[in-house]
PDB file of all heavy atoms in Angstrom:
ATOM      1  N   VAL A  27     156.632 158.558  91.459  1.00 40.00           N
ATOM      2  CA  VAL A  27     157.050 157.831  92.562  1.00 40.00           C
ATOM      3  C   VAL A  27     156.497 158.362  93.847  1.00 40.00           C
ATOM      4  O   VAL A  27     156.016 157.650  94.693  1.00 40.00           O
ATOM      5  CB  VAL A  27     158.548 157.729  92.560  1.00 40.00           C
ATOM      6  CG1 VAL A  27     159.117 157.230  93.864  1.00 40.00           C
ATOM      7  CG2 VAL A  27     159.141 157.004  91.471  1.00 40.00           C
ATOM      8  N   ASP A  28     156.509 159.695  93.948  1.00 41.00           N
ATOM      9  CA  ASP A  28     156.129 160.285  95.290  1.00 41.00           C
ATOM     10  C   ASP A  28     154.730 160.123  95.558  1.00 41.00           C
ATOM     11  O   ASP A  28     154.166 159.900  96.604  1.00 41.00           O
ATOM     12  CB  ASP A  28     156.575 161.803  95.206  1.00 41.00           C
ATOM     13  CG  ASP A  28     158.104 162.001  95.120  1.00 41.00           C
ATOM     14  OD1 ASP A  28     158.773 161.036  95.601  1.00 41.00           O
ATOM     15  OD2 ASP A  28     158.484 162.997  94.682  1.00 41.00           O
ATOM     16  N   LYS A  29     153.931 160.275  94.429  1.00 41.00           N
ATOM     17  CA  LYS A  29     152.394 160.180  94.583  1.00 41.00           C
ATOM     18  C   LYS A  29     151.912 158.772  94.485  1.00 41.00           C
ATOM     19  O   LYS A  29     151.023 158.481  95.302  1.00 41.00           O
ATOM     20  CB  LYS A  29     151.800 161.040  93.539  1.00 41.00           C
ATOM     21  CG  LYS A  29     152.157 162.522  93.735  1.00 41.00           C
ATOM     22  CD  LYS A  29     151.396 163.394  92.604  1.00 41.00           C
ATOM     23  CE  LYS A  29     151.684 164.873  92.796  1.00 41.00           C
ATOM     24  NZ  LYS A  29     150.949 165.670  91.611  1.00 41.00           N
ATOM     25  N   GLY A  30     152.379 158.002  93.558  1.00 40.00           N
ATOM     26  CA  GLY A  30     151.844 156.603  93.381  1.00 40.00           C
ATOM     27  C   GLY A  30     152.391 155.589  94.341  1.00 40.00           C
ATOM     28  O   GLY A  30     151.694 154.755  94.738  1.00 40.00           O
ATOM     29  N   ARG A  31     153.626 155.754  94.860  1.00 36.00           N
ATOM     30  CA  ARG A  31     154.183 154.736  95.715  1.00 36.00           C
ATOM     31  C   ARG A  31     153.554 154.875  97.076  1.00 36.00           C
ATOM     32  O   ARG A  31     153.418 153.815  97.727  1.00 36.00           O
ATOM     33  CB  ARG A  31     155.743 154.915  95.756  1.00 36.00           C
ATOM     34  CG  ARG A  31     156.357 153.861  96.589  1.00 36.00           C
ATOM     35  CD  ARG A  31     157.859 153.995  96.573  1.00 36.00           C
ATOM     36  NE  ARG A  31     158.550 153.080  97.356  1.00 36.00           N
ATOM     37  CZ  ARG A  31     159.828 153.157  97.760  1.00 36.00           C
ATOM     38  NH1 ARG A  31     160.537 154.145  97.357  1.00 36.00           N
ATOM     39  NH2 ARG A  31     160.342 152.174  98.415  1.00 36.00           N
ATOM     40  N   TRP A  32     153.442 156.067  97.639  1.00 33.00           N
ATOM     41  CA  TRP A  32     153.033 156.101  99.076  1.00 33.00           C
ATOM     42  C   TRP A  32     151.553 156.603  99.290  1.00 33.00           C
ATOM     43  O   TRP A  32     151.233 156.617 100.413  1.00 33.00           O
ATOM     44  CB  TRP A  32     153.965 157.218  99.648  1.00 33.00           C
ATOM     45  CG  TRP A  32     155.430 156.884  99.590  1.00 33.00           C
ATOM     46  CD1 TRP A  32     156.341 157.656  98.782  1.00 33.00           C
ATOM     47  CD2 TRP A  32     156.174 155.841 100.149  1.00 33.00           C
ATOM     48  NE1 TRP A  32     157.570 157.185  98.752  1.00 33.00           N
ATOM     49  CE2 TRP A  32     157.494 155.964  99.622  1.00 33.00           C
ATOM     50  CE3 TRP A  32     155.866 154.793 100.933  1.00 33.00           C
ATOM     51  CZ2 TRP A  32     158.405 155.123 100.018  1.00 33.00           C
ATOM     52  CZ3 TRP A  32     156.870 153.953 101.257  1.00 33.00           C
ATOM     53  CH2 TRP A  32     158.138 154.012 100.864  1.00 33.00           C
ATOM     54  N   ALA A  33     150.862 156.839  98.141  1.00 38.00           N
ATOM     55  CA  ALA A  33     149.463 157.188  98.427  1.00 38.00           C
ATOM     56  C   ALA A  33     148.649 156.015  98.957  1.00 38.00           C
ATOM     57  O   ALA A  33     148.794 154.871  98.507  1.00 38.00           O
ATOM     58  CB  ALA A  33     148.906 157.592  96.991  1.00 38.00           C
ATOM     59  N   LYS A  34     147.842 156.365  99.911  1.00 38.00           N
ATOM     60  CA  LYS A  34     147.064 155.300 100.493  1.00 38.00           C
ATOM     61  C   LYS A  34     145.694 155.291  99.798  1.00 38.00           C
ATOM     62  O   LYS A  34     145.120 156.406  99.873  1.00 38.00           O
ATOM     63  CB  LYS A  34     146.880 155.579 102.071  1.00 38.00           C
ATOM     64  CG  LYS A  34     148.141 155.523 102.806  1.00 38.00           C
ATOM     65  CD  LYS A  34     147.981 155.611 104.276  1.00 38.00           C
ATOM     66  CE  LYS A  34     149.274 155.557 105.043  1.00 38.00           C
ATOM     67  NZ  LYS A  34     149.019 155.748 106.491  1.00 38.00           N
ATOM     68  N   THR A  35     145.189 154.159  99.430  1.00 37.00           N
ATOM     69  CA  THR A  35     144.024 154.042  98.747  1.00 37.00           C
ATOM     70  C   THR A  35     142.940 153.371  99.655  1.00 37.00           C
ATOM     71  O   THR A  35     143.318 152.458 100.395  1.00 37.00           O
ATOM     72  CB  THR A  35     144.001 153.307  97.454  1.00 37.00           C
ATOM     73  OG1 THR A  35     144.517 151.995  97.670  1.00 37.00           O
ATOM     74  CG2 THR A  35     144.991 153.989  96.483  1.00 37.00           C
ATOM     75  N   LYS A  36     141.796 153.893  99.723  1.00 42.00           N
ATOM     76  CA  LYS A  36     140.817 153.297 100.495  1.00 42.00           C
ATOM     77  C   LYS A  36     139.690 152.742  99.630  1.00 42.00           C
ATOM     78  O   LYS A  36     138.929 153.505  99.045  1.00 42.00           O
ATOM     79  CB  LYS A  36     140.231 154.329 101.504  1.00 42.00           C
ATOM     80  CG  LYS A  36     141.285 154.908 102.414  1.00 42.00           C
ATOM     81  CD  LYS A  36     140.527 155.867 103.418  1.00 42.00           C
ATOM     82  CE  LYS A  36     141.612 156.420 104.476  1.00 42.00           C
ATOM     83  NZ  LYS A  36     140.963 157.502 105.428  1.00 42.00           N
ATOM     84  N   GLY A  37     139.508 151.417  99.612  1.00 47.00           N
ATOM     85  CA  GLY A  37     138.488 150.820  98.825  1.00 47.00           C
ATOM     86  C   GLY A  37     137.599 150.102  99.558  1.00 47.00           C
ATOM     87  O   GLY A  37     137.826 149.516 100.674  1.00 47.00           O
ATOM     88  N   THR A  38     136.193 149.958  99.133  1.00 57.00           N
ATOM     89  CA  THR A  38     135.296 149.184  99.870  1.00 57.00           C
ATOM     90  C   THR A  38     134.724 148.134  99.110  1.00 57.00           C
ATOM     91  O   THR A  38     133.716 147.468  99.443  1.00 57.00           O
ATOM     92  CB  THR A  38     134.175 150.187 100.284  1.00 57.00           C
ATOM     93  OG1 THR A  38     133.603 150.714  99.058  1.00 57.00           O
ATOM     94  CG2 THR A  38     134.655 151.187 101.250  1.00 57.00           C
ATOM     95  N   LYS A  39     135.111 147.860  97.826  1.00 62.00           N
ATOM     96  CA  LYS A  39     134.607 146.779  96.927  1.00 62.00           C
ATOM     97  C   LYS A  39     134.876 145.464  97.608  1.00 62.00           C
ATOM     98  O   LYS A  39     136.040 145.152  97.903  1.00 62.00           O
ATOM     99  CB  LYS A  39     135.213 146.898  95.614  1.00 62.00           C
ATOM    100  CG  LYS A  39     134.805 148.199  94.792  1.00 62.00           C
ATOM    101  CD  LYS A  39     135.470 148.329  93.549  1.00 62.00           C
ATOM    102  CE  LYS A  39     137.027 148.508  93.674  1.00 62.00           C
ATOM    103  NZ  LYS A  39     137.745 148.740  92.463  1.00 62.00           N
ATOM    104  N   PRO A  40     133.965 144.657  97.720  1.00 63.00           N
ATOM    105  CA  PRO A  40     134.093 143.226  98.252  1.00 63.00           C
ATOM    106  C   PRO A  40     134.878 142.480  97.230  1.00 63.00           C
ATOM    107  O   PRO A  40     134.745 142.480  96.084  1.00 63.00           O
ATOM    108  CB  PRO A  40     132.623 142.807  98.582  1.00 63.00           C
ATOM    109  CG  PRO A  40     131.828 143.420  97.485  1.00 63.00           C
ATOM    110  CD  PRO A  40     132.570 144.870  97.345  1.00 63.00           C
TER     111      PRO A  40
END
Side-chain angles (χ1 to χ4, degrees):
V27 171
D28 295 337
K29 294 181 180 180
R31 183 182 179 190
W32 305 110
K34 294 182 179 180
T35 58
K36 296 182 179 180
T38 59
K39 293 177 292 187

